[in-house]
Amino acid sequence: MMTTVIIVLAIIALLLVVFEEVIHVDKAKSTLFIGTLSWILVYLNPLHGTTAADITEQLNENLLEIATLWLFLMSAMTFVAYLNSKGFISNLVQRMLPSQLSERKFMFLLGFFAFVFSSFADNVTATLVSVAVIASLQIPVRQRLKYATLIIFAVNSGGVSLITGDVTTLMIFLDGKVSIANLLLLILPSLTAVLILAALLSRNMRGQLTFERSYTALEGKDKVIAGVFILTICSTLYLNAAYQIPPVLTFLFGLSCMFLIGQYLVRKTNKNILNYIREIEFDTLLFFLGVLLIVGMLKEVGVLLQLTKIYQVFDISVANYLLGLLSAVLDNVPLTAALLKADIQMDTANWLALTYATGVGGSVLVIGSAAGIIAMSKVKELNFISYLSMAGYLLVAYSIGYWLSYLLTSFVLL
């Protein structure tokens, strides 16, 4: 009876996430409520004769995994919040743009920029900055829609090859399925897919674009903090590869360096640099917390074992490809968490292909990723139906990127 209740609650949570824009209830609130409720109910009605001590041990194990992910994201998002609030990121983008550029060349430049930027910043920030670039352009509706489509796909593609760029990549890495060196193999196929989509979307573009360049001088203190952020990212990658130091520890150390350095750099202002923690998107972090609590409970009641059935019907590579498309409907965070909890046996090449699939597959539908939701709220021409008109291009790009990822990693890791 309790297993059925847990499953029903999980389905309700999923529906609340899918229809967030309709019911106007933030997904962080609904998932956190149902996630905590599920565990409380199991304490009140233990499953399979388990004791309160057994449940507490299971909960503590789940919370440890969540805390590792949570603290890493909090550290990275604090860096980005500071640099974004200072206008550092927007100024940097303005400096990179020429005064005039052909529409076709801009398509490729925009895709490359969104791809690279999302590798280091969170998807929300990368999408907001990229969308801001096209917001002021005087272009037809159809062209703005194409640019927005490329941004969503490029932002999702850029994050899959680095643990700082995508939550699902970080989750798969922290579970020990892939290494940082393995993930770097995804850069080439991911970027290739973005460039192919840019080529498809820009086939009939012949015009010229003029950019209004307005920016202020970058302050020295902001350059120093940006340097600390880049150094933290590089140190995280190197120290984990060379000495297996957990990324969360390195990023927390980098954050502490930012605070100490900032103590002197911003001492003339009224704002304590610690306050920038308050500017990060805690609704996103709380959503992850709620989702992982739900998925952890589904593991305990044995529901996640059902996910393995798709691997009994299809070859592993095909099953991963289909699950990537499924992430366009189901949120990729709970989907990835469920796959990891189900403990499916795959080789490294297939785990890398799955990393690409869950990170990029959500791009096929506008509701399938955070980048899509953010872009939809900022570009008035973009909605579910208009984005669906690009589904053919997106499916081609996703398919090429996925199978290139699988073939390349299989060949290199043979």
Side-chain angles (χ1 to χ4, degrees), residues 5 28 104 117 136 152 167 171 307-308 336 344:
V5 171
R104 187 174 177 83
F117 186 56
S136 59
I152 295 169
V167 175
M171 292 167 66
L307 275 176
T308 61
T336 303
I344 298 167

Side-chain angles (χ1 to χ4, degrees), residues 210-223:
T210 301
F211 300 94
E212 297 179 4
R213 304 179 67 184
S214 59
Y215 52 80
T216 57
L218 299 176
E219 296 188 30
K221 62 183 180 182
D222 299 332
K223 294 180 181 179

Side-chain angles (χ1 to χ4, degrees), residues 83 88 219-230 261-262 265:
L83 295 173
F88 183 90
E219 296 188 30
K221 62 183 180 182
D222 299 332
K223 294 180 181 179
V224 172
I225 297 298
V228 173
F229 183 37
I230 294 172
I261 294 171
L265 294 179

Side-chain angles (χ1 to χ4, degrees), residues 259-277:
F259 289 152
L260 290 173
I261 294 171
Q263 179 70 29
Y264 297 96
L265 294 179
V266 301
R267 65 182 183 275
K268 294 182 181 179
T269 65
N270 294 324
K271 187 168 185 177
N272 188 325
I273 194 168
L274 282 169
N275 290 337
Y276 285 97
I277 290 182

Side-chain angles (χ1 to χ4, degrees), residues 9-148:
L9 286 174
I11 293 173
I12 292 173
L14 174 62
L15 292 174
L16 291 174
V17 170
V18 171
F19 295 105
E20 177 186 15
E21 297 299 316
V22 177
I23 61 177
H24 303 294
V25 176
D26 189 276
K27 60 185 178 182
K29 299 174 183 176
S30 56
T31 53
L32 185 59
F33 172 77
I34 292 179
T36 50
L37 176 63
S38 299
W39 283 91
I40 291 173
L41 289 176
V42 170
Y43 269 101
L44 296 175
N45 299 277
L47 292 164
H48 313 304
T50 55
T51 65
D54 296 329
I55 300 172
T56 299
E57 183 179 351
Q58 296 164 356
L59 177 61
N60 288 340
E61 180 182 343
N62 197 230
L63 289 176
L64 178 61
E65 295 175 4
I66 294 170
T68 302
L69 174 64
W70 221 79
L71 291 171
F72 180 91
L73 291 174
M74 181 271 294
S75 303
M77 292 168 75
T78 303
F79 272 109
V80 174
Y82 174 87
L83 295 173
N84 204 33
S85 67
K86 295 296 182 178
F88 183 90
I89 296 173
S90 60
N91 278 343
L92 196 61
V93 173
Q94 292 287 341
R95 290 174 182 272
M96 292 172 58
L97 288 173
S99 57
Q100 196 172 49
L101 195 66
S102 71
E103 293 174 342
R104 187 174 177 83
K105 288 182 179 179
F106 178 63
M107 180 71 81
F108 284 92
L109 179 62
L110 182 65
F112 182 76
F113 167 75
F115 179 88
V116 173
F117 186 56
S118 67
S119 299
F120 299 98
D122 62 278
N123 285 0
V124 173
T125 303
T127 305
L128 287 173
V129 172
S130 301
V131 166
V133 175
I134 66 171
S136 59
L137 297 178
Q138 301 299 318
I139 54 177
V141 171
R142 186 67 178 176
Q143 285 185 219
R144 195 185 308 279
L145 177 61
K146 288 183 177 181
Y147 285 131

Side-chain angles (χ1 to χ4, degrees), residues 317-387:
S317 59
V318 176
N320 287 340
Y321 172 81
L322 294 175
L323 286 172
L325 292 177
L326 182 61
S327 71
V329 180
L330 302 179
D331 193 280
N332 61 350
V333 172
L335 178 62
T336 303
L339 290 170
L340 291 172
K341 294 288 186 182
D343 197 25
I344 298 167
Q345 299 302 309
M346 289 189 279
D347 59 22
T348 304
N350 276 300
W351 277 114
L352 287 169
L354 180 64
T355 302
Y356 179 89
T358 56
V360 183
S363 306
V364 176
L365 295 179
V366 74
I367 62 171
S369 67
I373 298 297
I374 294 298
M376 190 164 51
S377 67
K378 297 297 180 181
V379 181
K380 63 180 181 180
E381 298 89 353
L382 184 64
N383 54 52
F384 185 87
I385 300 301
S386 64
Y387 190 81

